[in-house]
Amino acid sequence: MKKMGFKGSIFIIPILILIAIFSLWPVLQSFTYTFFDYQLNDRSKAGLYLNDRFNVDLFNESSTYIDLFLERDMDNITEEEDVAKAEDLMARLDELDQEFEGESGVITIDDSVKEDIQAFHEDASTLVSNFNEKYDMQTGQNLPDIVADVDNSLIESNFVGLANYKKAFKDAFIGTATINTLIFTGVSVFLELILGLGMAMIMDKGMRGQGFIRTASLIPWAIPTAVAALMWSYLYDGTAGVVAEIFANIGLIGAPTDLLQTGAGAMTAAILADVWKTTPYMAILLLAGLQTIPKSLYEAGSIDGASKVQQFINITLPLLKPAVLVALLFRTLDAFRVFDLIYVLTGGGPGGSTETLSIYSYKVMFAQTNFGYGSVIVMIMFVIVAIIATIYVKVLGADVMEKN
Amino acid sequence: MAKQKHPNSSKSNWLFLVVLAFYLVVVVFPFLWIFITSFKSTGEIFGNNPFNIIPENPTLSHYSSVIFDKGIFTAIWNSLVVSGVTTIYIVFVATLAAYAISRFDFFGKNLLLGIVLAVSMFPQMIVIGPIYNLFVDLGWTNSYWITLPYSSITLPMAVWILVTHFNQIPMALEESAKMDGANRFQTLFRIVFPLAAPGVFTTAIIVFITAWNEFVLAITINSDASYHTVPVAISFLRTQFEILWGQVAAATTLVTIPTLLIVLFFQKQIVSGLTSGGVKE
């Protein structure tokens, strides 16, 4: 094998750029989101603000009005001491004004400025409420609101450290979603493996029409999951759905409407739709594995007097193991991140009974626009996926990684 | 492929045929039923006899409404553009990378392979948030730029399939090309590419189907109806209170046709692509 050298690096620069921008950077960015109270629908939280910030425009506006209102009411303030206090306050306001001269929009500020503004706000609001009690102020109704805007122009950092993770530990929805995801993944992958293996062995018998069977098998795999999900939601429909009708007639469910409108029914429906879509794919993968097993082994087996069952256990299973494990690994991860199927078929309902981690995180991110907390859920998925993958790779040993 | 094995008894032969027939019925039935429904009137679908196999008054009204009112062809066009562009650039980038991985020794090669494998495993949901924000900042929402983030789902599998194929092409050919004075790119495109063409073609089909089926990115980033891809457009056929089953059926029938054609014509390549990752040859 050649050394690549400088010129050769042109071969891998495109893939490095694409993976860096569209796969690795988003992962790191999502991880960063988890440490912020990052909510798109709240202007003060719609970004990652490590520092406190200050809305200069809002401050200037309120400062102008405070000046204006206090001057207008100066005549109503009778006690000399209070006049001095009011003038002192206006002087402090002038100082702050000068500090932000030439600035506009939202700027970052440091702690001392922040403290000055907070102190000013506190003093101003006590003074204003004092005045309101003592005197009949012309602007008495509006002044407190204007003073409050001084505080509103301070936008605090939305860095929350591990608070989102703490919240996740107490969030019952995450527990439910995890259990739903694991049930969906476990049951559907198990059924797909058993049925897929059975189908693969039947197809391996080499009957006529194999091409036709293979073509038919590829169709469920090839059509978009969202399209398949909508198709099944029609077949499962309580009034117009033929599958719901058949299930009710043979006594699997009480009434046709039970399928999508009860929790257990909806989960079963989702699993069956997934089994329908993926078993043929599994069968094709396993068939390819079966066809690499030399037929002479079976002939030798039957000469030695091994029964079909013995042949299956002693020849087929051990030799098929790598193919089975690879298929299982990718199917498990696929099922674990299930989104399209459930989003279109049940939307996570009824009552959250089919809400998986993907669905929950998507709802938190894009329906509640809470990217910070949504990213925590995604990170939890990431960790579980890493655990599943590690277990499989350990079991597989060198088979996956050393292929190349 | 079709090694004829002779079953011992005709009894087990019959059993196989029955199981096989049941399998085919289960696999094909949903399509068949959707196809039948697409010709039924709305009155019949929700009426007293919704389960007739032959429509009472066959109608093409659902087809005309998904074509003319819902603009299903816009969605098909969008899907063709997005999946086509994705296929072209992903296959190009993946071919270069897979060739380098298969032929050269370079620093961080195992790391690159590890990252490619990891990207193919992680939940797609993890990239959605940042990609959405990036696209909003760049003003790229509702555009064909969506093909770029499609790389995170298609690139790893493309590299994986191509590396397997390149590893099967003997090095000797390239060495003789080098002796004749060809540079690396000439070697790749004149010698290796023609030999790898079946593998590249297989990769292209799998990438195309994967991009065609993508849903989460498309519904999140291209939310405007004029940029809906097929899966998204179909999922929007449900209204708030009722789902227009006739239209769903007609639209599903229409959009399944391209997929059916691809599967019919390229089933050998698809199977070889699907299995090259998992089975040693």
Side-chain angles (χ1 to χ4, degrees):
Chain A
M1 194 162 293
K2 282 177 289 193
K3 272 264 165 225
M4 183 163 67
F6 177 71
K7 250 181 166 173
S9 63
I10 294 174
F11 282 95
I12 59 163
I13 284 174
I15 194 176
L16 291 181
I17 293 175
L18 277 175
I19 286 198
I21 297 180
F22 294 104
S23 298
L24 297 185
W25 171 81
V27 174
L28 292 177
Q29 192 69 5
S30 277
F31 186 58
T32 317
Y33 287 175
T34 63
F35 300 108
F36 289 86
D37 182 15
Y38 181 21
Q39 309 200 21
L40 290 194
N41 59 357
D42 182 340
R43 264 187 63 205
S44 65
K45 292 170 178 172
L48 308 179
Y49 306 126
L50 211 48
N51 294 309
D52 296 322
R53 293 164 322 132
F54 188 62
N55 186 339
V56 182
D57 297 339
L58 183 60
F59 176 78
N60 285 340
E61 201 184 305
S62 24
S63 143
T64 315
Y65 278 109
I66 292 173
D67 260 340
L68 203 72
F69 285 4
L70 277 180
E71 258 165 43
R72 199 185 290 169
D73 266 326
M74 237 10 153
D75 297 337
N76 294 329
I77 303 170
T78 43
E79 284 176 30
E80 200 129 312
E81 198 188 345
D82 284 343
V83 173
K85 273 185 187 166
E87 274 167 359
D88 179 49
L89 196 74
M90 283 157 81
R92 273 170 75 186
L93 197 58
D94 270 349
E95 261 174 52
L96 283 172
D97 273 343
Q98 272 161 23
E99 183 130 10
F100 301 115
E101 198 155 327
E103 306 268 15
S104 66
V106 176
I107 57 169
T108 54
I109 49 168
D110 52 34
D111 280 350
S112 68
V113 182
K114 182 186 168 190
E115 279 160 21
D116 283 350
I117 294 162
Q118 280 171 334
F120 171 79
H121 168 253
E122 217 166 284
D123 295 344
S125 47
T126 358
L127 200 63
V128 166
S129 63
N130 271 346
F131 287 174
N132 267 339
E133 280 168 23
K134 277 192 200 165
Y135 314 110
D136 181 24
M137 300 276 283
Q138 195 183 335
T139 58
Q141 280 192 331
N142 298 326
L143 206 46
D145 289 342
I146 304 283
V147 171
D149 266 350
V150 171
D151 197 44
N152 288 342
S153 48
L154 266 179
I155 306 166
E156 297 208 25
S157 156
N158 60 350
F159 179 80
V160 292
L162 294 173
N164 281 331
Y165 288 94
K166 269 188 207 153
K167 185 177 158 194
F169 273 109
K170 291 179 195 146
D171 185 353
F173 287 114
I174 290 190
T176 318
T178 310
I179 291 169
N180 286 341
T181 313
L182 291 177
I183 291 175
F184 177 85
T185 308
V187 177
S188 58
V189 172
F190 175 77
L191 289 176
E192 284 154 24
L193 176 68
I194 301 296
L195 295 175
L197 190 57
M199 271 330 292
M201 292 180 68
I202 288 174
M203 289 193 228
D204 192 39
K205 289 291 167 199
M207 316 199 154
R208 268 186 294 170
Q210 230 192 20
F212 175 69
I213 296 166
R214 209 163 58 163
T215 309
S217 301
L218 280 174
I219 299 170
W221 167 80
I223 68 160
T225 313
V227 174
L230 202 58
M231 212 161 80
W232 279 99
S233 71
Y234 167 55
L235 299 174
Y236 288 150
D237 187 77
T239 50
V242 66
V243 170
E245 180 74 13
I246 293 171
F247 280 9
N249 278 344
I250 59 175
L252 284 178
I253 49 175
T257 46
D258 285 357
L259 207 46
L260 287 181
Q261 286 167 17
T262 62
M267 182 57 97
T268 312
I271 290 173
L272 285 183
D274 193 62
V275 168
W276 172 81
K277 184 153 168 43
T278 338
T279 301
Y281 164 78
M282 199 73 144
I284 285 170
L285 286 191
L286 296 177
L287 176 62
L290 280 177
Q291 287 172 340
T292 59
I293 301 176
K295 297 284 177 266
S296 55
L297 284 177
Y298 293 104
E299 279 153 25
S302 57
I303 290 170
D304 290 345
S307 71
K308 288 263 178 223
V309 179
Q310 282 172 324
Q311 286 180 21
F312 177 73
I313 291 171
N314 295 318
I315 302 173
T316 312
L317 278 187
L319 288 173
L320 199 59
K321 194 180 136 199
V324 167
L325 283 175
V326 172
L328 269 186
L329 168 63
F330 283 96
R331 268 310 301 149
T332 308
L333 296 182
D334 257 0
F336 188 81
R337 59 192 164 193
V338 59
F339 179 79
D340 319 8
L341 177 74
I342 291 181
Y343 185 79
V344 176
L345 187 63
T346 65
S353 55
T354 53
E355 191 165 87
T356 59
L357 285 169
S358 287
I359 301 272
Y360 185 43
S361 66
Y362 191 81
K363 280 183 181 169
V364 171
M365 279 199 278
F366 289 98
Q368 305 169 14
T369 64
N370 189 341
F371 274 41
Y373 191 54
S375 298
V376 171
I377 307 167
V378 173
M379 280 302 150
I380 293 174
M381 287 178 71
F382 189 68
V383 170
I384 301 179
V385 161
I387 294 172
I388 296 176
T390 316
I391 294 173
Y392 273 112
V393 171
K394 275 264 161 67
V395 177
L396 280 164
D399 277 349
V400 175
M401 292 300 286
E402 301 294 315
K403 257 188 68 68
N404 304 298
Chain B
M1 222 20 284
K3 276 174 209 141
Q4 212 69 32
K5 252 200 132 194
H6 299 290
N8 307 349
S9 61
S10 58
K11 203 176 138 198
S12 70
N13 207 353
W14 269 108
L15 187 69
F16 279 136
L17 278 178
V18 170
V19 175
L20 207 58
F22 180 73
Y23 170 80
L24 284 178
V25 167
V26 171
V27 165
V28 177
F29 175 77
F31 293 106
L32 222 53
W33 195 255
I34 286 286
F35 185 69
I36 292 168
T37 304
S38 69
F39 297 106
K40 288 182 177 175
S41 64
T42 306
E44 190 182 350
I45 294 170
F46 290 102
N48 291 328
N49 285 316
F51 307 121
N52 282 343
I53 291 175
I54 301 186
E56 277 167 1
N57 305 303
T59 167
L60 288 174
S61 65
H62 300 310
Y63 285 93
S64 71
S65 56
V66 292
I67 291 171
F68 298 113
D69 305 338
K70 302 288 163 74
I72 195 73
F73 286 131
T74 313
I76 293 181
W77 172 248
N78 287 337
S79 274
L80 282 174
V81 172
V82 168
S83 316
V85 172
T86 305
T87 307
I88 292 167
Y89 88 85
I90 287 293
V91 167
F92 180 72
V93 170
T95 302
L96 291 180
Y99 182 67
I101 289 170
S102 159
R103 292 298 190 260
F104 310 141
D105 214 5
F106 57 89
F107 176 75
K109 183 164 135 177
N110 284 333
L111 182 68
L112 178 63
L113 268 176
I115 289 175
V116 165
L117 192 64
V119 169
S120 72
M121 288 179 179
F122 68 39
Q124 207 200 342
M125 211 50 83
I126 207 168
V127 301
I128 301 279
I131 294 284
Y132 173 77
N133 282 335
L134 178 72
F135 271 54
V136 169
D137 289 345
L138 293 172
W140 282 3
T141 52
N142 298 314
S143 73
Y144 291 138
W145 287 113
I146 196 170
T147 53
L148 287 175
Y150 274 17
S151 64
S152 78
I153 49 167
T154 51
L155 197 49
M157 73 170 80
V159 170
W160 215 245
I161 300 173
L162 282 168
V163 168
T164 316
H165 280 276
F166 280 137
N167 281 347
Q168 290 163 0
I169 298 170
M171 295 272 264
L173 285 168
E174 290 152 76
E175 271 146 26
S176 58
K178 199 181 174 190
M179 300 243 258
D180 292 345
N183 68 32
R184 275 184 202 180
F185 290 95
Q186 284 172 328
T187 315
L188 174 61
F189 288 103
R190 297 250 176 90
I191 311 289
V192 181
F193 220 87
L195 283 171
V200 173
F201 190 62
T202 293
T203 314
I205 291 169
I206 304 263
V207 168
F208 186 88
I209 292 180
T210 310
W212 182 276
N213 294 357
E214 205 287 333
F215 182 71
V216 193
L217 279 166
I219 200 173
T220 310
I221 292 174
N222 284 357
S223 50
D224 191 285
S226 58
Y227 281 96
H228 279 173
T229 56
V230 162
V232 178
I234 290 230
S235 77
F236 271 94
L237 282 181
R238 43 170 43 171
T239 60
Q240 189 75 37
F241 301 106
E242 52 154 3
I243 304 181
L244 308 161
W245 292 129
Q247 293 188 14
V248 168
T252 306
T253 307
L254 284 177
V255 303
T256 308
I257 293 171
T259 312
L260 274 180
L261 292 178
I262 291 177
V263 169
L264 275 179
F265 288 122
F266 305 121
Q267 51 143 315
K268 282 221 172 72
Q269 285 83 352
I270 295 174
V271 171
S272 115
L274 288 180
T275 50
S276 68
V279 182
K280 292 188 179 178
E281 322 227 351

